[in-house]
Amino acid sequence: MNQEISGLSSMATRPVLADLCEHLRHTCGIPVRFESAGGVEVARRVREGVGADLLVLAAGALAELEDEGLVLRGTARPLWVSQVVAAVPDGAPVPALDSESDLRAALLSATGIAYSTGPSGTALIGLIARLGLTGTLSERLVQAPAGVPAGSLLSSGRADLAFQQRSELTDLPGVFVVGPLPGDTAIDSVFSGGVLASSGRPGRARTVLDLLGSDTASGIARARGMRAVG
């Protein structure tokens, strides 16, 4: 019963899963360990047959893996919603983000705009297109490598504005989180969990997945800047 359950996750959920694994180990006596990497990298590993029990990824990416038979059918469930926030280098002027006009002004004044390879990055590129700024900003966009926080490009001086999941920017050295995007420009990402077809303990993995979706887990996720899907 004490055999460790292993999981894979994207970087955005790493902080909340670390807290939840600690909770499950001490409160429920269930040893759980997640290894986190960029979402694209995690999906690649799953397709190459990596052995693990659980998977937590952006909902769309996990659904694709379920369709490919790599996640057990019927086990996928949405867990948490994560806001995309803007951030600037610590100590830099903080732009207003109270309206779409404020966001446009912040984008146009930035010399380097960092974004991720994950769902937040895809959504940001779509938002920039919707705002009609693709041509204007194309040479200022700097994509962080897979698994690397976009905020790290702020501290290294490669960008002066960054967008990513709040959980990946909060407490990052040299980074100040401005806040979520305003009004209709807001970007939310849903993260889901599922049992991998490669699991040797699918029943026990389902139990852990249920615990990740519990009310207690929701409180822990909220402290990490995410909210339960509801």
Side-chain angles (χ1 to χ4, degrees), residues 16 58 70 82 90 112 123 131 134-135 137 147 155 157 173 177 183 202 207 210 228:
V16 65
L70 298 170
S82 177
D90 198 16
L131 294 174
T134 300
L137 300 178
S155 54
V177 174
T207 298
D210 288 341

Side-chain angles (χ1 to χ4, degrees), residues 97-150:
L97 281 181
D98 297 323
S99 66
E100 182 177 311
S101 295
D102 289 337
L103 175 61
R104 290 177 67 92
L107 288 166
L108 289 169
S109 64
T111 58
I113 301 166
Y115 67 105
S116 78
T117 57
S120 64
T122 301
L124 179 72
I125 296 303
L127 173 60
I128 287 173
R130 181 161 65 83
L131 294 174
L133 298 176
T134 300
T136 303
L137 300 178
S138 61
E139 294 186 0
R140 308 185 206 177
L141 296 172
V142 186
Q143 188 176 47
V148 175

Side-chain angles (χ1 to χ4, degrees), residues 113-205:
I113 301 166
Y115 67 105
S116 78
T117 57
S120 64
T122 301
L124 179 72
I125 296 303
L127 173 60
I128 287 173
R130 181 161 65 83
L131 294 174
L133 298 176
T134 300
T136 303
L137 300 178
S138 61
E139 294 186 0
R140 308 185 206 177
L141 296 172
V142 186
Q143 188 176 47
V148 175
S152 67
L153 302 184
L154 298 176
S155 54
S156 69
R158 294 184 61 198
D160 52 3
L161 184 64
F163 297 89
Q164 201 166 18
Q165 312 293 344
R166 182 184 292 274
S167 61
E168 294 189 77
L169 292 175
T170 300
D171 299 328
L172 200 64
V175 172
F176 178 82
V177 174
V178 180
L181 281 59
D184 292 340
T185 68
I187 298 173
D188 288 336
S189 297
V190 177
F191 290 90
S192 295
V195 177
L196 282 164
S198 61
S199 174
R201 301 169 292 278
R204 189 158 171 78

Side-chain angles (χ1 to χ4, degrees), residues 36-49:
S36 300
V40 174
E41 169 66 12
V42 170
R44 182 189 66 79
R45 292 183 193 177
V46 170
R47 290 187 171 102
E48 290 180 352

Side-chain angles (χ1 to χ4, degrees), residues 49-75:
V50 66
D53 299 301
L54 288 171
L55 180 65
V56 177
L57 276 183
L62 192 139
E64 288 181 6
L65 294 170
E66 183 182 27
D67 288 342
E68 295 170 27
L70 298 170
V71 172
L72 290 179
R73 182 70 63 181
T75 64

